[in-house]
Amino acid sequence: MSCANLIPAMAPGTVAAVLSTLGALGVSGMVVMRQVPYMVVALVQALILASLPQLHHYSPPQLAYVLRGCALLSPSGLPEVWLDEWQSVTAGAVLRQMPPDALDAVVASLQTLYQRQNWLPEDGWLGELLQAVEAQLGDYGGSELRHLVVALAGLEVRPHNGWLGSFRAAFDQRVAAAEMAPHEIAGVLYAFTKLGELGWWEAGAATPG
């Protein structure tokens, strides 16, 4: 019996846990991302189908990590019907309940999906995501700040000036506390260059926008 044959009997929490764990293995490098093994791809595809009617049962962090697993390990992209359902379930209060690590997983997954199949959520949803992230920027570590702004640059998403001001405050706090390595600082500045906002950065404080 193949692993895929066991999936229909799995509870929603089990499907979410398996997809989340596979995504974590991809991030850690234990699954070679340049050439994902066929058996892993087939397993993930079966899990994606199983998860579609279960998404509304998942917790906010589970939704984030499931997206990461699906995005990382689906070289040909994700079905748009799955993405549309995920976007519908993961909005507003759900995004606001995600911790920084989960939000970071969402943003990184969106960058993967954008590069792989040119897919982005609706503008209104992206605005809700940015609001959820802004509310927690003070809890982001140095590497998380770098990952966040690099991903936004890759998505070609330019937050409003108020958001950029909140990001700058969190960044300055981490730099002042010597909590950011030189390569992380360079990564942030490079991302702002890609966003066309280095001039704003050099000017200092932002005005609400």
Side-chain angles (χ1 to χ4, degrees), residues 61-145:
Q62 283 178 324
L63 286 164
Y65 302 133
V66 161
L67 179 67
R68 180 174 65 185
C70 292
L72 279 176
L73 300 171
S74 300
S76 59
L78 293 174
E80 292 210 9
V81 64
W82 191 95
L83 290 169
D84 290 343
E85 179 66 11
W86 184 91
Q87 178 183 227
S88 175
V89 172
T90 311
V94 174
L95 288 169
R96 292 193 294 272
Q97 293 174 48
M98 289 185 181
D101 183 68
L103 289 169
D104 187 51
V106 170
V107 175
S109 300
L110 294 182
Q111 184 183 17
T112 299
L113 291 167
Y114 184 62
Q115 293 172 343
R116 187 168 289 165
Q117 63 188 97
N118 199 35
W119 185 86
L120 275 179
E122 298 171 352
D123 289 346
W125 191 95
L126 284 172
E128 292 180 344
L129 173 63
L130 289 173
Q131 288 177 6
V133 170
E134 182 179 7
Q136 300 200 47
L137 282 173
D139 295 326
Y140 273 60
S143 62
E144 291 172 321
L145 289 174

Side-chain angles (χ1 to χ4, degrees), residues 16-29:
V18 173
L19 281 168
S20 300
T21 301
L22 289 171
L25 291 175
V27 171
S28 70

